[in-house]
Amino acid sequence: MTYVTFPSGRSFDFTAIGRLCIDLNANEINRPMEQTMTFTKYVGGSPANITIGMSRLGHKTAFIGKIAD
């Protein structure tokens, strides 16, 4: 198997460009949305999730996105 290596002279190993959002997932399962009372927040948006994963693996990461009005 071949592994990816990152040059050590760069400021970042990985930079993602894209969308970051907050996903709200229902804590109560198997019931209609009208009856759901609590939610748990998770980071959403695939570029953000990939960047977080790379950071947890020990890589130096960056993220470029836009903040809405």
Side-chain angles (χ1 to χ4, degrees):
M1 179 183 285
T2 305
Y3 291 95
V4 176
T5 58
F6 296 94
S8 60
R10 295 185 177 175
S11 299
F12 297 102
D13 298 323
F14 178 80
T15 301
I17 301 171
R19 171 176 87 90
L20 170 68
C21 63
I22 300 296
D23 293 337
L24 296 173
N25 295 340
N27 292 326
E28 296 89 11
I29 58 172
N30 299 323
R31 57 168 76 165
M33 186 61 75
E34 304 85 43
Q35 296 175 5
T36 302
M37 302 303 291
T38 60
F39 297 84
T40 302
K41 295 186 295 185
Y42 295 95
V43 176
S46 58
N49 287 331
I50 293 168
T51 304
I52 290 168
M54 296 278 289
S55 177
R56 288 179 178 171
L57 290 172
H59 297 290
K60 295 178 285 183
T61 60
F63 183 84
I64 299 171
K66 181 180 178 183
I67 299 173
D69 293 338

